[in-house]
Amino acid sequence: MNMTINKTKLFYGAIVAVALVFTTFAHAAPNESASSEGDVKSQQLALLQHKFTEGKYSKKGADTCMVCHKKTPGVADIFNNVHGNPNTVNGPMSGLQCESCHGPKGKHNGKNEPMLTFGKNSPLTAEMQNSVCMACHDDSARLDWHNSVHVTEDVACVDCHQLHTTQDKVLTKQGENETCTSCHSKENADSHKRSAHDIKNNDMSCSDCHNPHGTMAEASMNQDTVNDTCYQCHAEKRGPFLWEHAPVVENCANCHDAHGAVNEAMLKTRVPMLCKQCHSNDYHPSGIPSGNASIQTAGQGCLNCHTQIHGSTSPAGRTFQY
């Protein structure tokens, strides 16, 4: 993997260096004694900033790194995926190789100077770690990443993705669902309820509805609205209908819990109580002498008669019975 460093390839290092521009707040000098873990990380950040300023990259690239790290578990697995493929246009291995992500070597294998590391023990914040990834992945598929809930919650790319592996598990349905539910515990619990979208058996994945890298829609939905997302599978509910049911048109989530519910059809509440949340003053015109002949008396189920509750195309369908 020998390579000759030229200005073009140094460009990749310059991109990554931008990720550390805002580390200048780390004023601790490298020779200061550290009194806490925070002080140690501040010193590491200061030294990393100094290394980027010097820009001493290895002339042999990955060959230099692999002399020591070839026996480190999992490191060599990166050569089995797109990040380790030298033929990937603008990929790490077509540029500064390992140093494209981990920064200039400097005196790392001489004085054990720190390199950019990723994960919970990294001296870099989640924002700093992500800026390294976004130097290459700032594309149309991630336009809304910077405003996504994962960014505001300080989630790092490596919290979900694995690079030094043959197969990034989050790119499979099972791996994706396991990764998402490791944080989204409520949604994981809902998926095991009596009526639910089949996440637990991996027939669906979270990204069928949500974009983990963010969108402008509510809850990072793939489509502009909740309803438009639901219509991707439930097209028969889209309409247009001659008679439209207001809560259905407004938001499917008014009645349904998409992650799962104990009621049939993922309804938030059992019928007729679900209906009575809006129709609390409606009395059933059944002709029953009692003055309190409410809809609860109609077989305990509004949908027994109002079968077209999502909308009707019949001229006589004003009450969604036809």
Side-chain angles (χ1 to χ4, degrees), residues 108-128:
H108 173 66
N109 58 345
K111 295 185 177 181
N112 200 30
E113 288 182 347
M115 303 288 288
L116 287 187
T117 56
F118 301 85
K120 300 297 183 183
N121 297 323
S122 172
L124 277 65
T125 64
E127 181 182 9
M128 294 176 187

Side-chain angles (χ1 to χ4, degrees), residues 27-82:
H27 299 295
N31 59 356
E32 288 183 1
S33 60
S35 59
S36 67
E37 181 181 352
D39 291 334
V40 172
K41 289 187 175 182
S42 293
Q43 291 184 29
Q44 290 176 334
L45 285 171
L47 186 51
L48 285 169
Q49 182 69 28
H50 177 69
K51 287 180 64 177
F52 268 91
T53 301
E54 287 188 331
K56 292 183 178 179
Y57 293 89
S58 169
K59 293 183 179 181
K60 294 185 178 180
D63 286 345
T64 302
C65 305
M66 295 307 291
V67 168
C68 295
H69 291 286
K70 63 183 177 181
K71 293 184 179 180
T72 304
V75 168
D77 289 339
I78 195 171
F79 298 114
N80 297 321
N81 67 47
V82 65

Side-chain angles (χ1 to χ4, degrees), residues 129-286:
Q129 294 180 47
N130 292 345
S131 67
V132 177
C133 303
M134 294 300 291
C136 292
H137 293 284
D138 192 10
D139 51 32
S140 59
R142 281 158 280 270
L143 284 176
D144 300 302
W145 166 251
H146 298 289
N147 295 316
S148 71
V149 66
H150 283 144
V151 167
T152 59
E153 294 296 328
D154 290 329
V155 175
C157 301
V158 295
D159 290 338
C160 301
H161 293 280
Q162 298 175 315
L163 270 68
H164 286 272
T165 181
T166 300
Q167 173 67 58
D168 185 359
K169 73 173 187 177
V170 80
L171 300 182
T172 66
K173 278 192 175 183
Q174 180 177 353
E176 177 187 324
N177 291 338
E178 289 176 353
T179 300
C180 296
T181 55
S182 66
C183 291
H184 299 279
S185 56
K186 179 184 182 300
E187 288 72 19
N188 183 32
D190 288 343
S191 71
H192 289 81
K193 290 180 178 178
R194 172 174 173 262
S195 177
H197 282 126
D198 202 0
I199 297 293
K200 64 181 179 181
N201 294 320
N202 303 308
D203 287 336
M204 290 184 61
S205 61
C206 304
S207 62
D208 288 338
C209 300
H210 303 276
N211 185 336
H213 299 112
T215 68
M216 295 297 289
E218 178 184 353
S220 295
M221 288 284 185
N222 289 333
Q223 306 300 319
D224 291 337
T225 66
V226 172
N227 282 20
D228 285 338
T229 301
C230 298
Y231 294 153
Q232 299 305 301
C233 294
H234 303 282
E236 75 281 3
K237 304 297 190 296
R238 182 193 299 271
F241 297 110
L242 178 60
W243 302 101
E244 294 182 330
H245 193 192
V248 174
V249 175
E250 180 185 21
N251 193 328
C252 301
N254 286 336
C255 299
H256 301 277
D257 189 330
H259 295 108
V262 297
N263 304 301
E264 183 180 358
M266 293 183 285
L267 291 176
K268 289 184 173 181
T269 307
R270 290 184 64 183
V271 175
M273 300 313 299
L274 177 66
C275 305
K276 285 182 71 69
Q277 291 177 2
C278 294
H279 300 280
S280 58
N281 295 322
D282 288 0
Y283 289 89
H284 197 275
S286 60

